[in-house]
Amino acid sequence: MTKFERPAAFSRRAMLKSGGALVVSIGMPISLDTVLAVSEANAQVAGQFAAAIKPPLTPDHLSSYIAVNADGTVAAFFGKMDMGHGITVAIAQMVAEELDVPFKAVKMHLADTATSVQQGGASGSTGIQLGGKQMRIAAAEARRVLVEMAAERLSVPADQLTVIDGVVQSKADATKKVSYAELIGGRYFNVPLEWNKQYGNTLYAPGKAQPKKPSEYKIVGKPIKREDVAPKVFAQEDFCTDVKLPGMMHGRMLRPPVAGSVPVKVDESSIKDIPGARVVWQNAFLGVVADKEWDAIQAMQKLKVEWSQVTPPFPPQASLYDHIRKSAVRKKTVEKQNGNVDDAFKAAAKVIEAEYEWPFQSHAAMGPACALVEVKDGFATCFSGSQKTHFVQEGIAATLELPLEKVHVKWLTGPGSYGRNDADDCAADAAVLAKAVGKPVRLQYMREQGTGWDPKGPASVHKARMAFDAAGNITAYEFTSKGFSRIDVNTNGGKPEDTLAGQTRGVELHSGDGFGVPAESYEFANKRLTWETIPPLLDRASPLRSAHLRDPVGPQIHFASESFMDEVAAALNLDPVEFRLRHLKEPRDIAVVKAAAEKAGWQPRPSPQRQTGVKVNGRGIAYAQRNGTRVAVIAEVEVDRSSGKIYARRFVVAHDCGQIINPDGLAKCIEGNIVQGISRTLWEEVKFNDKAVTTVDWISYPILDITETPEKIETVLIDHPEIAPSGAGEPSIRPVAAAIANAIFDATGVRMRRVPFSPDRVKQAMA
């Protein structure tokens, strides 16, 4: 394990010093070397824009985003993290582009609450779309300031200067030049920004500068490859699980055998023979700590606990979807409506309708969450793999009743993070344990807790119907999603009520309501898209509490809506691509559908094919929007009729996310979405009995294995340099399930309306 310095060392000064960077910070005396390094003349030139003492870490200061190190390299402080997409490369490209420095001169510092402002963490495919937007404008402002400084130093008007690899020089006389390092290296920008007063994803704080035009790009748009993969694979990088602090203890949590049960009696003497073992019991919060990790595991297993008697809270697994259909609606929202849908259905000569079902799904990360927290001298430090460290900071501050500035959360790569997984719960649990024992506590969940107790992607039922007149023309379309809220617990651990630590300790709860409707541009004279949420199965500390999972509720909604479009096309004996193109309204949507079809070599014909034999093949298309991004996916599958096994052989993805920053990273991000989407479609389903979740490991909760990955994933990247980037972390997972379902129908004539398409379920459908 790696030994880390204590909290005081984690300042911007400490992080940058190793890069030949800032050597002066608040509270530190200015050394003689620093004074000598900055001549009086240089200080006069830089006085308007540079400072030896760091300005506050607030969104309205340029120094909060960009610094030039003493060696001329650039430090970029990003209030988000990279959860595997490689957006660190893309953000560095944007910063390097605007500053006119080499790509490798930019060092990214991610999601550390001591060095970056709150930019919303990793969420909603906003890393480049919004986070990158801010870093781009900050870098542009830094370049403007540096050129102004150079103009004064060189006595050359700013518009007569150019920048090449971090050196500002006269366009007319290349001997008149000065480097960024000479201008400000080792000091701080002292430049205010016009902040919009919003924290999170929407934070925007521009200066006076305007970013470059796309025609001027030299770095943005290049397929620069990631350099962090090999260190991860070969264990050369510190993961969150590797953190070690002097004197730390190891923790484990105990969860009830029946969801909703609480401990009423704890026999601490049952673990007295385990060295250093201690119990932390607060209301329904129950954990153990010990000096060694194995001792903590043994203490967790041996501790005798009497749990309260409660009525098992969950319905039978087999009746989950009936429960959703019959449950009272807690909130209903009509997202989109045009025309008079009700009258159109009343007058319809024919109606086609169908229902689709989607299960609870787990994040099923490679490993359960881990966090380390130290509470000392009124200050808390947390090491976490959360994708939203600034929210973890807020949650720990509230949990421990500390001022926000007394909590430091440092992000390190964790086992996986695609939405609201168990990382934030783990950090909050570790904070409670650490405060209780007065020592640093490293808490790692067990495998069955990571899969069984993580927040779940919500289960849902979707109903679609289409009305036709006597001539066979479509007169109305209605789509309704009904399910558990995607924000039963919030998308982050910023409030104790949204963490297991808070819920087990009895904080007041405020379950949220949210779902969604299809994102598309199908045009029908009468159209209504609605969502409805129902109450959670258990309101407090539930292993089936629902929250965000990659592309929150997008796959299930579009599985239903795009399967239904295929059903209507089949009923009309139309080619599925032709049917979509007839009704799509927006040109970019039409373009991605056409691009996918062309790349795939799509031959127009209705589905299904008429095939015989044990193994049959089919193709299917699905399309969707997401926050401005458009994606069309074509799947080619093989179905083994004898076993029910589905093999997803080939995928073609046409992808339009506006301006492309890094085509290599984008293509790999799409590939990851496709693979995860196949896994969620073919295998993933949380199962439970009336007491607890029963899918707690890789046997009971299988995921796609390497032998089942597609033979080909081909991408068509549609670049729009004139359109701001709209995000790619999630959109391409959205149409995957529907594309596979439509391909299965094309191959077999059987319509799959419930995910996952496990072999048993497929065989049953074909029987």
Side-chain angles (χ1 to χ4, degrees):
M1 302 179 78
T2 300
K3 180 179 178 181
F4 282 76
E5 296 181 80
R6 284 196 173 275
F10 285 100
S11 63
R12 182 175 290 220
R13 174 180 177 271
M15 292 186 69
L16 295 179
K17 190 173 180 182
S18 62
L22 306 179
V23 293
V24 183
S25 67
I26 295 173
M28 297 296 294
I30 301 176
S31 68
L32 178 61
D33 289 342
T34 302
V35 174
L36 293 176
V38 184
S39 69
E40 183 178 348
N42 290 355
Q44 290 175 352
V45 171
Q48 180 184 358
F49 298 118
I53 303 299
K54 184 191 177 301
L57 180 60
T58 56
D60 57 356
H61 280 88
L62 181 58
S63 62
S64 297
Y65 308 97
I66 302 291
V68 176
N69 303 330
D71 62 1
T73 58
V74 173
F77 306 101
F78 193 37
K80 293 178 177 287
M81 49 77 82
D82 187 340
M83 56 182 177
H85 294 148
I87 67 163
T88 304
V89 177
I91 301 299
Q93 286 179 257
M94 297 170 82
V95 170
E97 184 69 74
E98 296 300 331
L99 276 167
D100 281 316
V101 299
F103 167 76
K104 289 195 174 183
V106 178
K107 169 67 175 175
M108 296 294 301
H109 299 275
L110 306 179
D112 189 321
T113 63
T115 64
S116 62
V117 297
Q118 219 281 48
Q119 289 184 266
S123 62
S125 298
T126 58
I128 292 174
Q129 181 181 16
L130 298 178
K133 177 183 178 182
Q134 174 54 32
M135 298 305 292
R136 169 181 269 164
I137 201 72
E141 179 68 356
R143 184 190 187 280
R144 182 194 71 81
V145 167
L146 289 162
V147 171
E148 290 283 345
M149 294 170 69
E152 190 171 355
R153 173 83 72 89
L154 300 173
S155 298
V156 176
D159 63 359
Q160 296 302 308
L161 296 173
T162 188
V163 183
I164 300 174
D165 290 343
V167 176
V168 189
Q169 66 182 48
S170 168
K171 295 178 182 178
D173 183 358
T175 64
K176 289 186 176 182
K177 60 184 178 180
V178 61
S179 70
Y180 286 171
E182 293 173 287
L183 290 168
I184 200 174
R187 286 168 291 147
Y188 301 93
F189 285 106
N190 187 27
V191 178
L193 302 175
E194 293 294 328
W195 178 37
N196 64 357
K197 303 299 188 295
Q198 296 177 24
Y199 282 103
N201 287 327
T202 55
L203 182 152
Y204 190 55
K208 298 177 182 178
Q210 292 297 317
K212 290 181 180 180
K213 299 176 182 177
S215 60
E216 301 173 306
Y217 289 162
K218 300 175 183 176
I219 301 173
V220 165
K222 301 296 184 184
I224 299 175
K225 294 186 181 297
R226 295 169 57 180
E227 295 184 351
D228 64 323
V229 175
K232 286 179 169 67
V233 172
F234 294 109
Q236 297 166 338
E237 175 184 315
D238 291 319
F239 286 77
C240 187
T241 48
D242 296 320
V243 181
K244 184 178 182 180
L245 291 178
M248 78 177 190
M249 303 184 77
H250 294 269
R252 285 297 188 273
M253 298 303 300
L254 285 87
R255 304 298 185 204
V258 180
S261 180
V262 301
V264 295
K265 184 178 180 180
V266 178
D267 181 5
E268 297 189 29
S269 67
S270 62
I271 58 170
K272 65 180 181 180
D273 61 329
I274 300 175
R278 297 172 59 180
V279 175
V280 179
W281 179 19
Q282 299 176 13
N283 297 334
F285 180 100
L286 183 59
V288 294
V289 296
D291 294 331
K292 296 180 179 180
E293 186 170 18
W294 178 240
D295 289 339
I297 294 172
Q298 287 187 303
M300 176 197 69
Q301 294 171 343
K302 292 182 178 180
L303 184 67
K304 293 183 179 179
V305 182
E306 181 182 331
W307 298 90
S308 64
Q309 297 296 311
V310 297
T311 301
F314 302 142
Q317 173 88 37
S319 64
L320 171 63
Y321 300 110
D322 286 340
H323 171 88
I324 294 172
R325 290 183 180 92
K326 295 175 182 177
S327 289
V329 174
R330 194 164 73 170
K331 184 175 182 179
K332 178 177 180 176
T333 300
V334 178
E335 288 277 358
K336 295 181 180 180
Q337 183 167 239
N338 60 268
N340 193 320
V341 175
D342 293 330
D343 285 353
F345 274 100
K346 288 177 183 177
K350 178 183 179 181
V351 174
I352 297 175
E353 57 185 336
E355 289 193 1
Y356 306 85
E357 299 163 339
W358 191 279
F360 286 110
Q361 291 184 327
S362 169
H363 288 82
M366 286 194 293
C370 180
L372 191 155
V373 176
E374 180 176 39
V375 183
K376 184 179 181 182
D377 300 328
F379 190 93
T381 300
C382 172
F383 298 85
S384 174
S386 167
Q387 67 181 53
K388 296 185 178 180
T389 50
H390 289 83
F391 289 102
V392 171
Q393 179 191 31
E394 294 175 11
I396 289 178
T399 297
L400 301 183
E401 299 181 335
L402 290 172
L404 189 65
E405 64 271 15
K406 296 293 184 181
V407 179
H408 172 204
V409 180
K410 179 173 177 58
W411 177 77
L412 287 145
T413 303
S417 181
Y418 287 103
R420 174 66 166 86
N421 68 355
D422 55 344
D424 292 19
D425 291 308
C426 190
D429 283 342
V432 175
L433 294 175
K435 182 178 181 180
V437 302
K439 290 185 177 183
V441 172
R442 176 188 180 276
L443 172 65
Q444 184 159 12
Y445 290 154
M446 305 298 286
R447 173 76 269 169
E448 66 270 14
Q449 293 173 344
T451 306
W453 281 86
D454 67 323
K456 304 298 189 293
S460 52
V461 172
H462 309 267
K463 183 175 182 179
R465 59 179 185 154
M466 196 84 79
F468 299 82
D469 62 18
N473 300 307
I474 296 173
T475 58
Y477 170 53
E478 182 175 34
F479 185 93
T480 302
S481 296
K482 184 179 183 182
F484 296 97
S485 171
R486 62 181 174 83
I487 48 173
D488 174 31
V489 292
N490 209 343
T491 64
N492 58 72
K495 295 180 180 179
E497 69 194 50
D498 294 313
T499 66
L500 286 175
Q503 294 194 0
T504 53
R505 294 169 77 224
V507 300
E508 184 179 356
L509 303 186
H510 299 89
S511 176
D513 285 290
F515 209 83
V517 298
E520 32 82 345
S521 68
Y522 294 120
E523 189 170 43
F524 301 107
N526 303 283
K527 179 178 177 180
R528 182 163 61 216
L529 307 178
T530 305
W531 61 260
E532 301 172 343
T533 53
I534 65 173
L537 295 173
L538 176 65
D539 66 349
R540 183 180 292 272
S542 172
L544 287 175
R545 65 199 187 284
S546 49
H548 280 187
L549 177 59
R550 192 177 197 177
D551 184 25
V553 302
Q556 46 266 63
I557 291 170
H558 294 84
F559 160 59
S561 64
E562 284 294 294
S563 291
F564 185 67
M565 290 300 165
D566 239 56
E567 295 207 40
V568 174
L572 297 176
N573 200 37
L574 291 175
D575 172 75
V577 170
E578 178 190 351
F579 176 76
R580 285 169 172 80
L581 293 176
R582 282 188 184 184
H583 299 285
L584 286 175
K585 176 182 179 182
E586 296 184 15
R588 290 172 67 191
D589 296 3
I590 294 169
V592 293
V593 170
K594 287 183 174 180
E598 181 179 354
K599 180 70 173 179
W602 184 278
Q603 297 298 315
R605 60 169 173 77
S607 290
Q609 301 181 71
R610 303 301 176 188
Q611 299 182 79
T612 59
V614 174
K615 293 185 177 181
V616 291
N617 300 288
R619 62 165 193 192
I621 186 169
Y623 123 93
Q625 300 177 355
R626 192 187 195 282
N627 293 350
T629 295
R630 278 82 168 167
V631 182
V633 172
I634 291 175
E636 296 180 6
V637 306
E638 178 183 292
V639 182
D640 187 325
R641 294 179 189 268
S642 63
S643 67
K645 187 74 178 288
I646 305 296
Y647 298 92
R649 298 299 192 190
R650 180 192 181 206
F651 281 80
V652 174
V653 185
H655 195 282
D656 172 1
C657 58
Q659 182 188 79
I660 296 174
I661 306 300
N662 184 329
D664 181 76
L666 175 57
K668 289 179 171 58
C669 178
I670 291 169
E671 290 171 7
N673 268 302
I674 297 301
V675 171
Q676 189 175 13
I678 298 169
S679 181
R680 291 176 66 180
T681 302
L682 299 186
W683 290 112
E684 298 187 36
E685 179 178 22
V686 171
K687 296 182 180 179
F688 53 90
N689 56 30
D690 60 345
K691 302 178 181 65
V693 169
T694 57
T695 43
V696 295
D697 53 30
W698 300 121
I699 303 301
S700 55
Y701 191 88
I703 63 173
L704 196 76
D705 70 37
I706 197 168
T707 67
E708 300 168 319
T709 54
E711 296 167 2
K712 290 183 179 180
I713 300 177
E714 302 169 64
T715 56
V716 182
L717 306 182
I718 302 174
D719 189 18
H720 286 286
E722 76 285 1
I723 299 175
S726 52
E730 298 167 285
S732 52
I733 199 173
R734 181 164 280 195
V736 171
I740 294 173
N742 295 339
I744 293 171
F745 175 75
D746 185 53
T748 66
V750 173
R751 178 62 62 180
M752 301 298 298
R753 297 193 181 94
R754 178 186 292 183
V755 166
F757 307 154
S758 62
D760 288 345
R761 188 163 290 157
V762 173
K763 282 183 69 175
Q764 183 180 4
M766 290 191 298

